[in-house]
């Protein structure tokens, strides 16, 4: 694959691999979100904003798609040796379940502050969990040592063509279920979901615009694109699922070719998206999963009158004991009353 670009046929191959093994998540819609935009002077098609509900996916996030596709690509020797990955939680769960289904031993590295429910889920799927480091950068360094010591195969959380092809099947499904979509918005951690989705969509329907959303202090991909090189960071955000310590060669190249823009949000704005999803759409979405919706509601995404907009609810793995605290930290968002 030249120039670190995943071709369209790889997304269709991944879709065949995943058929019957992942949920075909629904497209939800919100007229209330449409009213919020109308109050800002933007009227969306059908008066509704749409959401691809990947928080209802197996493991509670889209990550199982890339993990299953990568597991399928491993050699017999690699499967026998076992795999290793690192993650704040959602990718870890995806790899743990994919490895369990394949009969492969999985070692999962997570920061010490990882959400307990995500740790417990990995253990429940049969993975060996190692907690190390205050942030994912420290975890990554230790993961490399463990990988070398045990001869394990690394399953990257984002910078891998098999993983990206799996995540990009989200885009193919959006086009199936919402063929007249004009704008798609997704959160960015390492960037596999957003850039993979963008590639799958734009190679099929080039006129669709795709935007990414990063936390202000977890902006590895936008920094990499701005500077033309990978920039290590120490991500800090309530949206732990968007906390990649750096972008990668694949996500840089794919982001440069396919994304129409990246916007940055502060934590209170992201949490306002989470609050809106719960109060107005009755969907419990984790902060990382709500970032795309928040960007749309707060007018950060350029939307033309009459366009159809779809955001990706990328995950719903929220530590239940923190829900009230997270909602209390949300920025205020004025919601116009319904008419009639």
């Amino acid at each position: 694959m030249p120039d670190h670009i995943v071709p369209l046929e790889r997304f269709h191959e991944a879709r065949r691999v995943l058929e019957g093994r992942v949920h075909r998540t629904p497209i939800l819609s919100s007229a209330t979100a449409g009213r919020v935009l109308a109050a800002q002077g933007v009227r969306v098609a059908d008066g509704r904003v749409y959401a691809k509900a990947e928080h209802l996916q197996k493991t509670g996030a889209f990550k199982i798609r890339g993990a299953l596709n990568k597991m399928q690509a491993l050699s017999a020797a690699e499967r026998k040796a076992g795999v290793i990955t690192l993650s704040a939680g959602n990718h870890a769960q995806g790899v743990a379940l994919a490895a369990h289904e394949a009969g492969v031993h999985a070692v999962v590295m997570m920061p010490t502050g990882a959400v307990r429910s995500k740790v417990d889920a990995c253990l429940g799927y049969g993975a060996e969990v190692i907690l190390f480091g205050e942030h994912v950068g420290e975890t990554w360094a230790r993961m490399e040592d463990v990988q070398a010591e045990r001869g394990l195969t690394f399953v990257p959380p984002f910078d891998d063509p098999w993983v990206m092809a799996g995540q990009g099947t989200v885009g193919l499904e959006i086009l199936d279920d919402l063929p007249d979509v004009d704008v798609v918005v997704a959160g960015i951690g390492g960037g596999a979901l957003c850039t993979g989705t963008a590639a799958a969509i734009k190679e099929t329907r080039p006129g669709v615009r795709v935007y990414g959303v990063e936390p202000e202090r977890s902006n590895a991909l936008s920094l990499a694109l701005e500077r033309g090189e990978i920039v290590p960071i120490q991500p800090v955000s309530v949206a732990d699922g968007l906390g990649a310590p750096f972008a990668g060669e694949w996500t840089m190249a794919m982001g440069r070719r396919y994304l129409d823009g990246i916007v940055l949000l502060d934590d209170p704005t992201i949490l306002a998206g989470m609050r809106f999803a719960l109060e107005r759409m009755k969907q419990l979405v984790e902060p990382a999963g709500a970032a795309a919706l928040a960007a749309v509601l707060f007018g950060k995404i350029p939307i033309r009158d009459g366009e159809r907009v779809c955001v990706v609810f990328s995950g719903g793995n929220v530590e239940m004991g923190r829900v009230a605290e997270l909602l209390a930290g949300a920025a205020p968002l004025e919601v116009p009353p319904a008419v009639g």
Side-chain angles (χ1 to χ4, degrees):
M1 285 175 275
D3 303 319
H4 293 93
I5 298 298
V6 181
L8 180 61
E9 57 263 30
R10 286 297 180 90
F11 296 102
H12 287 286
E13 289 171 4
R15 177 182 234 178
R16 290 190 286 272
V17 167
L18 300 181
E19 187 174 1
R21 302 177 67 192
V22 299
H23 296 320
R24 178 57 180 265
T25 54
I27 299 282
L28 310 178
S29 68
S30 172
T32 306
R35 294 201 304 275
V36 171
L37 291 181
Q40 302 171 22
V42 177
R43 298 190 180 277
V44 290
D46 307 324
R48 312 181 78 84
V49 172
Y50 296 85
K52 176 64 168 167
E54 281 295 290
H55 65 303
L56 303 179
Q57 186 55 264
K58 289 184 178 181
T59 75
F62 71 96
K63 290 286 193 175
I64 186 64
R65 295 173 181 265
L68 284 170
N69 198 46
K70 178 66 174 179
M71 208 67 61
Q72 184 80 7
L74 297 180
S75 68
E78 289 171 328
R79 292 179 181 221
K80 183 177 180 180
V83 298
I84 188 170
T85 196
L86 87 164
S87 165
N90 287 341
H91 177 66
Q93 292 175 78
V95 170
L97 179 56
H100 174 75
E101 291 187 359
V104 174
H105 179 67
V107 177
V108 171
M109 303 284 302
M110 303 174 78
T112 55
V115 174
R116 187 66 219 182
S117 60
K118 296 182 180 182
V119 174
D120 291 341
C122 291
L123 293 170
Y125 294 133
E128 175 188 349
V129 177
I130 300 176
L131 300 177
F132 184 89
E134 294 299 316
H135 56 79
V136 289
E138 294 179 353
T139 312
W140 191 289
R142 178 58 184 151
M143 182 274 300
E144 291 178 325
D145 292 339
V146 175
Q147 179 190 8
E149 292 165 5
R150 302 197 193 180
L152 302 169
T153 297
F154 179 43
V155 179
F158 52 86
D159 204 43
D160 177 274
W162 301 101
V163 171
M164 297 177 78
Q167 318 305 31
T169 58
V170 169
L172 297 179
E173 291 181 10
I174 290 173
L175 290 181
D176 284 346
D177 296 339
L178 204 61
D180 294 329
V181 68
D182 298 293
V183 177
V184 175
V185 188
I188 294 176
L193 171 66
C194 193
T195 64
T197 294
I201 287 175
K202 284 177 167 287
E203 289 294 336
T204 307
R205 280 196 54 210
V208 179
R209 304 195 310 284
V210 183
Y211 296 91
V213 182
E214 290 181 312
E216 286 182 340
R217 294 188 292 168
S218 294
N219 58 333
L221 184 56
S222 57
L223 279 175
L225 293 175
E226 177 186 325
R227 300 183 188 180
E229 61 182 5
I230 294 172
V231 182
I233 65 170
Q234 291 189 6
V236 178
S237 175
V238 70
D240 61 293
L242 303 182
F246 48 80
E249 296 291 345
W250 288 91
T251 53
M252 277 182 60
M254 295 275 282
R256 185 177 296 113
R257 175 171 294 191
Y258 293 111
L259 291 183
D260 290 278
I262 298 175
V263 301
L264 305 183
L265 299 183
D266 60 24
D267 281 357
T269 302
I270 291 172
L271 291 175
M274 176 185 173
R275 181 166 196 140
F276 183 96
L278 183 58
E279 289 185 341
R280 301 292 176 163
M281 300 179 70
K282 312 311 175 190
Q283 302 298 312
L284 181 58
V285 182
E286 65 184 281
L293 176 63
V296 169
L297 293 174
F298 281 84
K300 304 297 184 180
I301 305 298
I303 301 168
R304 302 166 192 146
D305 275 352
E307 290 191 314
R308 186 166 281 105
V309 180
C310 182
V311 303
V312 180
F313 281 171
S314 58
N317 293 310
V318 185
E319 189 171 9
M320 297 307 295
R322 293 193 63 209
V323 170
E325 170 197 343
L326 293 171
L327 297 179
L333 176 67
E334 186 171 345
V335 178
V339 177

